[in-house]
């Protein structure tokens, strides 16, 4: 129904949307980045961050300040905000949030499963899980003795169950290479998320679907690029491509046949959106890599999400932008602490 | 000290010759040892130079590797857990070989790869390129470390060997000096004794001559006229 978004959205989600827009306004600006880049030590960095929205998040840290401490604290802050949003949300926004966390849950599950198969201590693994991907059955991992128990205990009860059904049955759990498994899960997840957004309709679909399509195509490109020269066969590679992007079906088929970067570029000639991205890739160590170009494009799309109102995409965009900001800060901090300032400006700025 | 192990010999000329021979032998031995010491010192200095070069290179390579780790983390996220989980067997192993320099065996470490790269597919979805660069950088660092390790063990072994050799050289020189002095002393003593003996015999001869019991034997050289010669 036309106009339904404007009418109904604010009833349930207006408070949260206002909140997230406020948080978005607190992201670091270009001026902040310039200040950070000029810092000489990590202590200076901390002082500069105190003037921004981060405030005194590092106040309780003992010396010496390391990059990993900064990273952990930033992640904890983001987690806190995310949990706040999630706890105050109603349907369908809460399902949306659940979908967002599935990505991190996949990483955590892979970590726990591979650790359990190698009989590693569960407590260490729990400490290393991504906080945004927490689920209540995580502690149940150490009770399971065999892979099938693991499967039943953990996976059947999490929202990841349908993704596992798509890609395998339980007896291939230990043989399948972990990375291939991870990518297969992610492909199913992405397609499910895409379908959810599409069914939701309205502005959410208008904003989220292009973003998710780009994510799908980006994964296809990167998987292709990184599988050159490895033992991943072409069919196995094709099975990992998410099908919800613009490249489906023709582009994906062509990509699966590609042998090197030039052939990939020729495939892209047919798609107007991606052609300029590939043109911008520099060669060797001087220019940008394909991944940098993709990150920039993602940031651009996420910022554009904020130009429309009354949709769930702002939360997704905000989380992604915060993550990019965290990566930027960690990068600058590493350059400062290693005194390797030549590439300190290689962060991705958020306009 | 040489005073303790003085060999008790009868101070005769034969004994002196024997001692001279031993002296010569000791001298040759000492020269050989000196040559060995020189060869070892030469190798030592070469190794030292190489160690300095390698250490400087090492600093650069480690810095580069640490930076590429930061780059990879930037693009690929946190893959440290994935890496630690998949550790099972060592891919780069070391073989120890022996090298011989002037009789001193030095260990040399050689690295070789075994097994396939179990991290081939890590970072498949993102950051694969940076991870590949990272793997290359750290592989280079490991190779350099192995080289440095063998250089340093050779350094230490050579150092010991050189010290021992030099100690021996010095000891022998000390011995040689002592023996030379002994020789002189013995020679002198022998000559004195001979002189005394000679004087004694001459005195006796004189006595007998005076006693008129012994005529001097015909002195062929003193005779002016030879009776056997028929023609003059």
């Amino acid at each position: 129904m036309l106009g339904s978004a404007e009418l109904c959205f604010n009833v349930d989600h207006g408070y949260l949307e206002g909140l997230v827009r406020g948080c978005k306004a607190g992201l670091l600006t270009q001026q902040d980045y310039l200040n950070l880049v000029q810092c000489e030590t990590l202590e200076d960095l901390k002082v500069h961050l105190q003037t921004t929205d981060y405030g005194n998040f590092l106040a309780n840290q003992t010396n010496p300040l390391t990059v990993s401490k900064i990273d952990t604290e930033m992640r904890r802050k983001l987690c806190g905000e995310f949990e706040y949003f999630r706890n105050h949300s109603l349907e369908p926004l809460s399902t949306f949030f659940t979908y967002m966390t599935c990505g991190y849950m996949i990483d955590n599950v892979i970590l726990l499963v591979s650790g359990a198969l190698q009989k590693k201590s569960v407590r260490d693994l729990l400490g290393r899980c991504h906080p945004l991907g927490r689920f209540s059955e995580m502690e149940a991992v150490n009770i399971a003795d065999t892979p099938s128990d693991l499967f039943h205990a953990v996976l059947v009860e999490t929202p990841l169950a349908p993704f596992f059904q798509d890609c395998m049955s339980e007896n291939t759990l230990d043989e399948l290479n972990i990375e291939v498994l991870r990518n297969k899960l992610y492909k199913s997840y992405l397609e499910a998320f895409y379908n959810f957004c599409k069914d939701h309709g309205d502005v959410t679909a208008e904003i989220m679907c292009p973003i998710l399509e780009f994510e799908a195509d980006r994964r296809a490109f990167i998987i292709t690029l990184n599988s050159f020269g490895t033992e991943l066969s072409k069919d196995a590679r094709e099975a990992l491509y998410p099908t919800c992007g613009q490249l489906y079906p023709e582009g994906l088929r062509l990509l699966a046949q590609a042998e090197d970067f030039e052939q990939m570029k020729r495939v892209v000639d047919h798609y107007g959106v991606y052609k300029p991205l590939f043109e911008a890739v520099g060669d060797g160590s001087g220019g940008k890599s394909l991944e940098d170009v993709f990150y920039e494009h993602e940031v651009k799309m996420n910022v554009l999400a904020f130009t429309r109102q009354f949709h769930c995409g702002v939360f997704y965009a905000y989380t992604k932008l915060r993550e990019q900001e965290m990566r930027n800060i960690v990068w600058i901090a590493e350059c400062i602490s290693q005194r390797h300032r030549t590439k300190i400006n290689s962060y991705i700025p958020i306009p | 000290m040489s005073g303790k192990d003085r060999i008790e010999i009868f101070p005769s000329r034969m004994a002196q010759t024997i001692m001279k021979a031993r002296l010569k032998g000791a001298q040759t031995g000492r020269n050989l040892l000196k040559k060995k010491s020189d060869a070892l010192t030469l190798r030592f200095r070469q190794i030292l130079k190489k160690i300095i070069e390698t250490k400087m290179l090492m600093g650069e390579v480690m810095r580069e590797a640490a930076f590429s780790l930061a780059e990879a983390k930037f693009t690929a996220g946190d893959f440290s857990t994935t890496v630690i989980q998949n550790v099972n067997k060592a891919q780069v192993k070391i073989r120890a070989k022996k090298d011989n320099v002037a009789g001193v065996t030095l260990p040399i470490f050689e690295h070789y790869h075994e097994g396939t790269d179990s991290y081939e597919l890590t970072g498949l979805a993102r950051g694969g390129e940076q991870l590949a660069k990272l793997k290359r950088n750290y592989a280079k660092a490991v190779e350099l470390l192995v080289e440095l390790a063998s250089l340093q063990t050779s350094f230490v072994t050579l150092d010991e060997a050189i010290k021992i050799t030099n100690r021996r050289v010095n000891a022998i020189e000390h011995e040689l000096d002592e023996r030379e002095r002994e020789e002189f002393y013995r020679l002198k003593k022998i000559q004195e004794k001979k002189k005394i003996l000679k004087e004694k015999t001459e005195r006796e001869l004189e006595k007998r001559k005076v006693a008129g019991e012994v005529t001097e034997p015909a002195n062929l050289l003193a005779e002016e006229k030879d009776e056997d010669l028929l023609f003059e």
Side-chain angles (χ1 to χ4, degrees):
Chain A
M1 190 165 65
L2 240 85
S4 69
E6 286 88 348
L7 288 175
C8 315
F9 189 84
N10 268 352
V11 178
D12 291 331
H13 319 299
Y15 166 65
L16 287 177
E17 184 179 344
L19 203 58
V20 85
R21 280 180 187 272
C23 291
K24 193 258 178 189
L27 286 176
L28 295 184
T29 62
Q30 189 62 27
Q31 184 59 39
D32 291 322
Y33 280 122
L34 284 177
N35 286 342
L36 288 179
V37 161
Q38 285 170 5
C39 290
E40 291 292 324
T41 68
L42 290 184
E43 292 297 325
D44 289 343
L45 197 84
K46 177 174 154 184
V47 164
H48 272 114
L49 283 178
Q50 277 173 353
T51 61
T52 66
D53 237 24
Y54 279 99
N56 287 330
F57 79 117
L58 285 174
N60 296 334
Q61 289 302 316
T62 54
N63 286 329
L65 196 60
T66 63
V67 181
S68 55
K69 276 190 201 158
I70 297 180
D71 192 29
T72 325
E73 286 301 314
M74 283 199 294
R75 191 174 295 182
R76 196 179 302 177
K77 188 160 193 286
L78 176 64
C79 235
E81 290 176 9
F82 190 83
E83 290 298 317
Y84 184 82
F85 289 138
R86 196 172 175 190
N87 292 336
H88 288 250
S89 64
L90 300 172
E91 288 297 335
L93 191 57
S94 17
T95 320
F96 189 85
F97 276 125
T98 314
Y99 267 106
M100 275 174 65
T101 58
C102 278
Y104 305 109
M105 263 193 239
I106 290 177
D107 282 337
N108 287 349
V109 162
I110 296 281
L111 184 66
L112 291 171
V113 162
S114 64
L117 284 178
Q118 295 186 15
K119 311 279 182 287
K120 299 247 168 71
S121 149
V122 176
R123 207 159 303 129
D124 302 334
L125 297 177
L126 283 180
R128 288 174 179 281
C129 284
H130 197 288
L132 279 181
R134 283 201 174 283
F135 52 94
S136 50
E137 294 83 16
M138 262 163 73
E139 285 79 11
V141 171
N142 57 345
I143 304 175
D145 292 321
T146 69
S148 56
D149 276 354
L150 205 58
F151 186 72
H152 284 298
V154 177
L155 308 172
V156 174
E157 288 161 20
T158 63
L160 301 178
F163 310 142
F164 271 87
Q165 277 164 12
D166 280 342
C167 51
M168 42 157 265
S169 62
E170 65 175 67
N171 35 11
T172 58
L173 188 59
D174 36 349
E175 286 139 30
L176 212 51
N177 191 312
I178 290 289
E179 284 298 316
V180 174
L181 180 60
R182 186 205 300 267
N183 285 306
K184 277 208 171 123
L185 285 176
Y186 206 86
K187 162 193 151 111
S188 320
Y189 152 67
L190 209 54
E191 288 168 3
F193 196 6
Y194 182 78
N195 289 334
F196 171 76
C197 290
K198 210 155 162 208
D199 293 337
H200 193 264
D202 265 345
V203 192
T204 307
E206 279 178 45
I207 297 290
M208 282 306 295
C209 289
I211 292 182
L212 290 177
E213 279 169 15
F214 173 69
E215 183 66 28
D217 294 333
R218 172 196 192 177
R219 281 190 86 83
F221 284 129
I222 301 280
I223 289 176
T224 319
L225 188 63
N226 291 336
S227 59
F228 291 146
T230 66
E231 51 187 36
L232 195 65
S233 71
K234 294 218 171 79
D235 295 329
R237 193 205 292 174
E238 191 166 4
L240 298 177
Y241 294 153
T243 54
C244 53
Q246 285 184 24
L247 289 176
Y248 177 74
E250 271 302 312
L252 290 183
R253 210 169 41 80
L254 288 173
L255 259 190
Q257 305 301 321
E259 297 272 332
D260 59 26
F261 189 70
E262 288 303 314
Q263 288 183 0
M264 263 175 70
K265 242 177 140 170
R266 272 202 292 272
V267 170
V268 143
D269 281 343
H270 302 292
Y271 295 92
V273 185
Y274 300 128
K275 189 152 182 244
L277 293 183
F278 272 78
E279 304 282 308
V281 174
D283 36 37
S285 54
K288 299 187 216 171
S289 71
L290 189 61
E291 308 230 9
D292 288 336
V293 169
F294 281 152
Y295 270 124
E296 282 177 8
H297 191 86
E298 182 192 6
V299 161
K300 213 171 17 169
M301 289 180 89
N302 283 330
V303 169
L304 283 177
F306 281 90
T307 57
R308 302 286 300 274
Q309 260 193 300
F310 311 123
H311 62 97
C312 309
V314 280
F315 299 98
Y316 179 86
Y318 173 68
T319 316
K320 290 290 168 190
L321 285 176
R322 269 300 288 276
E323 286 194 334
Q324 182 59 45
E325 182 181 273
M326 271 166 42
R327 273 199 291 268
N328 285 346
I329 293 180
V330 164
W331 171 254
I332 295 177
E334 287 263 5
C335 285
I336 290 176
S337 70
Q338 290 188 22
R339 283 182 277 276
H340 207 272
R341 305 186 80 101
T342 47
K343 282 181 149 189
I344 197 169
N345 290 320
S346 308
Y347 60 88
I348 316 272
I350 300 175
Chain B
M1 294 293 279
S2 179
K4 278 210 200 104
D5 50 26
R6 271 193 188 184
I7 310 166
E8 295 298 323
I9 49 167
F10 191 66
S12 63
R13 198 154 279 268
M14 164 102 163
Q16 188 203 348
T17 333
I18 295 178
M19 283 306 286
K20 261 213 168 124
R22 282 166 81 165
L23 189 77
K24 195 88 196 303
Q27 266 176 346
T28 335
R30 175 182 151 269
N31 286 341
L32 275 176
L33 269 183
K34 198 124 204 297
K35 282 201 192 120
K36 173 173 175 178
S37 163
D38 288 339
L40 288 179
T41 318
L42 184 67
R43 182 64 182 257
F44 188 72
R45 265 186 244 264
Q46 281 175 344
I47 289 188
L48 184 63
K49 205 165 114 187
K50 238 180 148 223
I51 284 187
I52 292 179
E53 274 173 24
T54 318
K55 276 199 175 154
M56 308 250 288
L57 192 61
M58 184 69 178
E60 282 299 317
V61 167
M62 284 305 278
R63 200 157 165 264
E64 193 59 44
F67 194 65
S68 60
L69 179 64
E71 273 183 348
K73 273 207 277 210
F74 180 68
T75 321
D78 188 20
F79 49 87
S80 61
T81 39
T82 326
V83 169
I84 297 178
Q85 294 289 67
N86 287 340
V87 167
N88 41 12
K89 235 168 56 121
Q91 261 173 268
V92 179
K93 298 200 185 157
I94 295 184
R95 259 194 289 256
K97 287 197 303 194
K98 292 216 183 291
D99 192 20
N100 193 312
V101 173
V104 179
T105 48
L106 301 173
I108 303 258
F109 296 125
E110 184 189 70
H111 62 66
Y112 62 97
H113 285 271
E114 196 181 66
T116 53
D117 187 1
S118 55
Y119 298 108
E120 221 174 24
L121 293 177
T122 317
L124 191 60
R126 37 182 207 156
E129 201 180 308
Q130 277 78 358
L131 270 171
K133 189 162 137 210
L134 176 68
K135 273 192 273 188
R136 273 200 303 274
N137 280 343
Y138 270 104
K140 220 178 1 170
V142 164
E143 280 176 23
L144 261 186
L145 269 175
V146 165
E147 212 182 295
L148 199 61
S150 34
L151 280 177
Q152 282 195 291
T153 25
S154 323
F155 188 80
V156 165
T157 324
L158 265 184
D159 198 29
E160 290 271 334
I162 287 179
K163 281 209 189 87
I164 292 177
T165 323
N166 281 342
R167 240 180 272 143
R168 283 201 199 129
V169 167
N170 288 341
I172 289 190
E173 276 192 23
H174 204 73
E175 282 286 329
L176 289 178
D177 289 341
E178 281 289 327
R179 294 236 175 99
E180 273 190 50
R181 265 181 261 138
E182 263 192 57
E183 278 304 307
F184 274 133
Y185 180 75
R186 288 220 173 86
L187 265 177
K188 280 231 165 72
K189 271 247 134 130
I190 291 176
Q191 279 173 3
E192 274 178 25
K193 281 239 157 122
K194 283 218 169 131
K195 243 208 277 182
I196 296 176
L197 215 63
K198 208 165 166 194
E199 279 172 11
K200 235 165 112 187
T201 7
E202 274 190 5
R203 259 183 266 132
E204 282 218 16
L205 218 58
E206 292 281 333
K207 255 203 269 173
R208 283 203 199 147
K209 250 206 214 156
V210 166
E213 285 171 14
V214 173
T215 52
E216 248 187 63
N219 196 345
L220 267 175
L221 299 169
E223 190 96 24
E224 288 179 356
K225 205 156 160 280
D226 194 7
E227 291 165 356
D228 292 327
L229 280 180
L230 293 173
F231 304 103
E232 286 284 315

